[in-house]
Amino acid sequence: EWFRKFTASAEKDSGSWVGKQDKSNPASQTAPQIPAKNLKLGDAHLRIADSYYVILDYYNALDYYDKSLAMKSPDADYALLQKAMALGLLKKQDEKITTLETLLGSFKNSSYSVDATYQLAQAYTLKDNNDRALELFNIITNEYPNSSYVKKSLLNIAQIHFNKGSYDLSLGVYKSIVSNYPNYEDSRLALEQI
């Protein structure tokens, strides 16, 4: 009921535009023109999608993430990440991979890039595409050195090398985890592997 009231209110507001061009402001001349109702509806769809996600109703969450994306929500990168997460939880790894590749290709400067890269690496690991997973884990360690995903990525790199029979490479990564992150709780796991 509240959603119908909200959408009715947004439709009344359909004449206002965000990003109208202001001839005196050159920056506004390149801004996309997004109807205000699309911003409101896109945000509403995103909030509903997140609500379904939280209660583990992933199919309805996917439906509303798609609706938010269709409205050209300014939070499309977030919607794509959450959609990918839901797809993964539904064991739809191929669709998760496609969604994350879309996010990374379309939103190069997204604040969710490192999250998407890590999730993509994990998805490729599950698909036994270890070479692509290694490439992505290495991107995290090299391009996002301050990310909380670095330590997890290093553990994954070591494990993949171990599984491939590259024991010396694996051992080197495990040793670097222990020496560089001695207080990291998974350093104990690395020590066990050494």
Side-chain angles (χ1 to χ4, degrees):
E1 178 64 28
W2 67 269
F3 184 68
R4 276 190 232 123
K5 288 180 184 177
F6 179 83
T7 55
S9 167
E11 287 179 15
K12 281 187 216 170
D13 199 18
S14 64
S16 63
W17 288 81
V18 173
K20 280 187 179 177
Q21 290 188 354
D22 174 1
K23 303 272 189 230
S24 66
N25 181 358
S28 75
Q29 293 180 22
T30 58
Q33 292 191 0
I34 303 170
K37 78 171 186 174
N38 284 15
L39 291 175
K40 289 180 182 179
L41 287 173
D43 182 61
H45 290 312
L46 197 53
R47 290 169 189 256
I48 292 168
D50 283 344
S51 297
Y52 278 121
Y53 186 95
V54 167
I55 63 169
L56 312 180
D57 186 346
Y58 301 121
Y59 287 104
N60 276 318
L62 288 172
D63 184 42
Y64 278 95
Y65 287 129
D66 284 338
K67 287 178 181 182
S68 178
L69 290 164
M71 301 300 291
K72 307 272 189 238
S73 169
D75 296 318
D77 56 344
Y78 172 78
L80 284 167
L81 179 64
Q82 290 302 104
K83 176 181 177 178
M85 298 295 289
L87 288 165
L89 290 166
L90 292 169
K91 309 270 189 257
K92 296 182 176 195
Q93 294 303 318
D94 290 332
E95 291 177 61
K96 177 180 181 177
I97 288 169
T98 300
T99 303
L100 291 168
E101 294 280 11
T102 298
L103 189 164
L104 291 169
S106 300
F107 299 95
K108 304 260 187 234
N109 297 317
S110 171
S111 59
Y112 302 106
S113 291
V114 68
D115 303 276
T117 303
Y118 184 79
Q119 289 300 320
L120 188 56
Q122 292 286 69
Y124 277 118
T125 301
L126 290 173
K127 297 288 291 178
D128 290 323
N129 188 341
N130 291 319
D131 291 335
R132 179 70 174 131
L134 273 175
E135 179 185 332
L136 292 162
F137 286 129
N138 280 313
I139 286 171
I140 292 168
T141 62
N142 295 324
E143 294 182 20
Y144 305 98
N146 298 320
S147 167
S148 63
Y149 289 108
V150 169
K151 295 173 241 178
K152 292 178 185 178
S153 295
L154 288 169
L155 279 172
N156 280 288
I157 290 168
Q159 189 62 50
I160 290 170
H161 283 312
F162 183 84
N163 292 344
K164 290 173 78 173
S166 301
Y167 303 117
D168 289 340
L169 286 172
S170 178
L171 183 61
V173 176
Y174 281 127
K175 284 181 178 179
S176 97
I177 293 168
V178 172
S179 67
N180 293 325
Y181 308 102
N183 297 325
Y184 178 48
E185 65 183 65
D186 284 339
S187 287
R188 187 174 37 85
L189 174 65
L191 275 172
E192 289 172 11
Q193 295 299 322
I194 294 174

